Amino acid sequence: MTTATLENPPETRLYRPTPFEAFEELQENLFGSFWPLLRRPARHYFKTVTDWAPRIDMFEKDDSLMIKADLPGLKREDIHVSLVNGDLVLKGGTKTESEVKEENCYYLERAFGSFYRRIPLPLKVKAEKIEATFKDGVLQIRISKPAIQQPEPQQITIR
């Protein structure tokens, strides 16, 4: 066991409970064994997808810039890819509905949400040079790099 000193302060972590954690503690204190339905965590009943943003990987491969975005559960028609002022824009939305029927319990839950990601591109490209494919919940975008044109040598006359 180490002793905390000024040179060796103890490890401290800030803990800030989320609103759901505070609500769950209150719910447990008030209704602990009184109402069985409230034993489930509050976040079980209040699932949302509005704070969701797809994870994106960006890398170079074979003279192309590759971008991969994880979009599980979405359909091709729910995703829009565009080029706006030199930035790649990914946007879309999802809607889900779940229904649970149990012996003494019934609830229906609907959730919807959207995402918007704007990715500044490090090079100037035309929309014709961008290919996008969507398979198994992964959007893959290939941007062909423009060929670098070498300036032609110019003859300079000597006077």
Side-chain angles (χ1 to χ4, degrees):
M1 184 167 142
T2 60
T3 309
T5 62
L6 288 177
E7 294 83 28
N8 183 19
E11 181 180 330
T12 59
R13 295 182 186 185
L14 291 177
Y15 175 72
R16 181 176 293 163
T18 67
F20 282 123
E21 290 172 333
F23 182 71
E24 286 171 11
E25 183 178 339
L26 176 67
Q27 148 188 322
E28 184 62 34
N29 290 338
L30 292 177
F31 303 107
S33 61
F34 177 67
W35 194 9
L37 185 62
L38 284 179
R39 284 191 198 145
R40 288 185 170 170
R43 71 176 70 105
H44 175 78
Y45 298 104
F46 301 111
K47 291 180 190 173
T48 61
V49 291
T50 54
D51 57 352
W52 171 74
R55 294 181 183 257
I56 293 178
D57 295 327
M58 189 172 179
F59 55 93
E60 291 185 27
K61 180 180 177 184
D62 301 330
D63 295 331
S64 296
L65 184 64
M66 302 293 296
I67 298 171
K68 288 186 179 184
D70 294 331
L71 303 168
L74 268 66
K75 299 176 188 159
R76 180 176 289 127
E77 51 271 4
D78 296 335
I79 305 165
H80 304 281
V81 180
S82 57
L83 188 63
V84 178
N85 294 331
D87 295 345
L88 189 68
V89 174
L90 308 177
K91 62 182 175 178
T94 183
K95 296 177 188 175
T96 60
E97 184 174 298
S98 65
E99 182 177 22
V100 174
K101 292 181 182 180
E102 295 176 2
E103 187 175 328
N104 294 324
C105 177
Y106 171 81
Y107 67 89
L108 175 68
E109 182 178 285
R110 291 184 187 99
F112 61 94
S114 60
F115 66 90
Y116 179 91
R117 295 289 307 257
R118 187 173 186 134
I119 305 165
L121 297 176
L123 45 98
K124 293 189 180 212
V125 295
K126 296 181 180 178
E128 306 87 49
K129 299 287 185 178
I130 300 174
E131 299 174 17
T133 58
F134 184 69
K135 184 178 178 185
D136 297 331
V138 177
L139 175 67
Q140 184 169 331
I141 300 170
R142 177 185 293 270
I143 302 172
S144 298
K145 289 184 185 178
I148 299 174
Q149 297 179 354
Q150 296 292 331
E152 299 222 6
Q154 298 177 4
Q155 187 65 36
I156 298 175
T157 53
I158 301 174
R159 295 186 190 168

